[in-house]
Amino acid sequence: MPQVINCNSDVDILKHFTDDWAQCSARLDESGASGAWTEGMDREMGLLHEHGCTVQQLEEFLMSIKIERELSDALKLASTRDAAVYILSDANTWFIDAILRANGLRDDIKC
């Protein structure tokens, strides 16, 4: 199925900043299998921090993620027609917010 956004911010961040993606992925797979993905991501983000990754580096990376033009246009059109657009996610809202801000969509969507 075609996607209008090709982004899994959790995985994308870890692939970008982690030296050993295979080991990181195995730990996350284990967390996900037990229903504890969020806790696994918390652990991995802590490891990134321990290895010197800064909040600014994370934000710069997130802000480099581009939303496809078709989705951006649809969201802006919905906003001009006073349609409420919500994102329902158990993901890190800071990640989502950074991506929306970078794409000029933050004011058009409720999280």
Side-chain angles (χ1 to χ4, degrees), residues 66-80:
K66 299 299 176 207
I67 293 176
E68 299 293 332
R69 183 181 51 80
E70 294 85 357
L71 176 58
S72 180
D73 291 349
L75 294 170
K76 288 178 181 183
L77 177 63
S79 179
T80 63

Side-chain angles (χ1 to χ4, degrees), residues 29-41:
D29 287 346
E30 186 177 308
S31 295
S34 66
W37 179 268
T38 302
E39 291 82 0
M41 271 305 294

Side-chain angles (χ1 to χ4, degrees), residues 1-65:
M1 168 181 236
Q3 296 179 350
V4 289
I5 183 171
N6 186 14
C7 172
N8 178 334
S9 57
D10 291 351
V11 170
D12 291 344
I13 283 175
L14 294 174
K15 280 184 176 179
H16 183 77
F17 289 103
T18 301
D19 292 333
D20 188 349
W21 168 243
Q23 186 177 21
C24 176
S25 179
R27 288 190 304 263
L28 281 174
D29 287 346
E30 186 177 308
S31 295
S34 66
W37 179 268
T38 302
E39 291 82 0
M41 271 305 294
D42 286 347
R43 181 186 60 246
E44 296 304 320
M45 294 302 290
L47 290 171
L48 288 182
H49 175 72
E50 287 176 15
H51 288 96
C53 185
T54 67
V55 171
Q56 182 178 356
Q57 289 172 309
L58 292 170
E59 186 168 28
E60 287 172 2
F61 178 77
L62 288 167
M63 294 186 83
S64 75
I65 297 171

